Amino acid sequence: MNNSSNRSCLTIILAAGEGTRMRSNLPKVLHPVAGLPMVNHVMQAASEAGGTALAVVVGNQAALVGEAVAAQDNQAQIFEQKERLGTAHAVLAARDAIEKSYDDVLILYGDVPLTKAQTLIELRGMLGDGVDVAVLGFRTENPTGYGRLLEEDGNLVAIREHKDASEEERKVEFCNGGIMAFSGKLALELLDGISNENANNEFYLTDMVEIARAKGLNVKAMEADVEEIIGVNNRVELAQVESLWQNRKREALMLAGVSMSAPQTVFFHHDTQIESDVTIEPNVIFGPQVVVKAGAVLRAFSHLEGADVGKDVVIGPYARLRPGAELHEGSKVGNFCEVKKAVIEKGAKVNHLTYIGDARVGAGANIGAGTITCNYDGMNKHFTDIGKNAFIGSNSSLVAPVKIGDGAYVASGSVITEEVPDDAMGIGRGRQSVKKDYGSQIRARNAALKAAGQKK
Ligand code: UD1
Ligand code: MG
């Protein structure tokens, strides 16, 4: 196969559709899969496939879609299709870009988010090998509604839309996925030849096949896995695509050395980064921007977002890491602990029922059960600085801003409002008093009351 990276390529993503069946105020192509809008998944595949230039055709809520496109790639050209007159009409909205005469033009769809870059590279490779129009198809036992790919002697001779197909043609199970690549030099000549004489009075991009054939050009279809071509029209399909995406991510991670005993219960974000030899127990959920280093163990039911989990760290079960949580090598954050915008330094332990927010926990420090950093005064957030090897007794409240020195102790149940210097001990609670024989006196009084028939 020819190396497609030697050839210039204009990728055009069609993203003008209304998406009525989503029943949403959000444009369809902005609905997220693994937290990333569908159109951005498509852009990512296009860029990985080595596209030189990118054009996105927008229509419905053009400005919003344009913003999401520009956020990912500010070089992307955005074209507006004012009226929806068919897929060929949509492609021609990008006429100014097509006129630049790239080697290849690749057509993708903003609502078809699972196409692999490798597949696009192979499709473009066909152009490198002398094909003029290459169409990506898939096979299904239930082809109703799809355009059928009609082949003769290994050549694609036509794509017949379901509505326009004969009984015989409707039996064909090789379907048009919509994605296609064609010669950039011939693009305008072919596109301008398309008319709207069909059941829908639309300009069908698919008619390019017969037009190219009539000109004696080389037209071929390539088969892809149906998964890669699934388009999203409603939220049921969106959930199916999400599930397929999650499966791919799980498999990729497991093959890269991540252990999961129940992968079906673990959910990733599109940008989750996990090194090898990490173990993930069931029901762990990843929000945006999580990085997990080698050897870490994420125990069951933990929830992570915006967190950096260092080498050999153990979290959970039931840990919650919020944005800015930074857990250094060998530290531990145990059950029912929440960490937000805080650094837990090397080997420090936060084992049970604790909230650490806006804080530093020094290396080797031990935070007792039920410790709370009181970081918020109703107006502002304040910082708690806990020194290395400090020991915070259980059920302490550290009222920020406050500093606990290196090697310092805080007595259990303290409310700490002032600095505890290095190696000192801070106690901030009422002193205990002991009343001798009080227990037996209470029991004697209760027994007397009971005998007198008064239950009180
Ligand atoms: C299209 C194909 C069909 C294929 C099917 C696969 C054509 C004519 N038909 O049919 O062969 O089997 O996809 O899903 O291409 N769009 C615009 N502007 C328009 C019209 C469409 O941007 O004026 C966008 C839509 O938002 C959508 C895509 O193009 O993302 C496909 O259009 P749609 O009308 O859904 O085509 P299908 O009938 O599904
Ligand atoms: Mg469709």
Side-chain angles (χ1 to χ4, degrees), residues 21 28 109 111-112 145-146 231-233:
R21 283 170 285 167
K28 175 163 77 173
Y109 299 83
D111 56 0
V112 180
Y146 292 110
V232 171
N233 292 304

Side-chain angles (χ1 to χ4, degrees), residues 200-250:
N200 275 350
N201 291 324
E202 281 188 22
F203 294 90
Y204 289 162
L205 180 60
T206 47
D207 284 353
M208 179 183 285
V209 169
E210 280 169 285
I211 291 170
R213 288 282 298 176
K215 291 180 187 289
L217 297 172
N218 188 352
V219 184
K220 285 202 162 61
M222 178 183 130
E223 187 177 340
D225 199 280
V226 61
E227 246 186 65
E228 297 197 49
I229 279 167
I230 292 179
V232 171
N233 292 304
N234 56 45
R235 299 198 199 220
V236 175
E237 289 167 354
L238 181 66
Q240 286 163 351
V241 162
E242 175 76 35
S243 159
L244 289 166
W245 188 96
Q246 292 293 342
N247 276 338
R248 272 191 193 174
K249 180 77 176 181
R250 292 167 188 141

